[in-house]
Amino acid sequence: MERIINELVAKLQDKNPKISEEKARVWVELLWSDFEATYAKAGYDYQGAEMSEKIISQWIDSYGSQLNEFVARNPKYAHLLNEE
């Protein structure tokens, strides 16, 4: 699983060079856990890491270049994602 996370971190950094490797990892881990928790709360059966990887990869493709703008609109996550 660490290999998958590392690949997603690299993909996010390629998509958005403004995000450090550390923050890209935080993003990937937050997106991963949020997806799996939401999927479970909706009552779906666990589809495995492959499904999570696919969804996170799609989110990175769609929104990765804008993720650093998220903190400004969502102060709840600022302590996790600020580059300071």
Side-chain angles (χ1 to χ4, degrees):
M1 174 122 141
E2 187 64 26
R3 178 192 57 80
I4 294 169
I5 297 293
N6 289 338
E7 289 173 5
L8 291 170
V9 166
K11 183 175 186 170
L12 178 54
Q13 284 192 284
D14 287 343
K15 204 64 165 160
N16 190 337
K18 296 176 185 174
I19 296 177
S20 68
E21 182 178 353
E22 178 184 345
K23 296 304 174 185
R25 180 170 297 280
V26 171
W27 269 113
V28 168
E29 291 172 357
L30 282 172
L31 292 170
W32 190 290
S33 64
D34 186 56
F35 169 72
E36 288 192 344
T38 302
Y39 204 73
K41 287 179 187 175
Y44 295 109
D45 290 333
Y46 181 65
Q47 298 294 312
E50 297 82 19
M51 173 64 90
S52 298
E53 177 185 9
K54 178 181 174 184
I55 297 300
I56 304 311
S57 183
Q58 289 174 351
W59 288 347
I60 290 171
D61 287 338
S62 297
Y63 309 110
S65 63
Q66 303 164 359
L67 283 178
N68 58 307
E69 298 168 14
F70 178 82
V71 174
R73 295 187 308 265
N74 297 282
K76 175 180 175 182
Y77 297 102
H79 70 287
L80 296 172
L81 301 167
N82 278 336
E83 291 290 337
E84 301 167 1

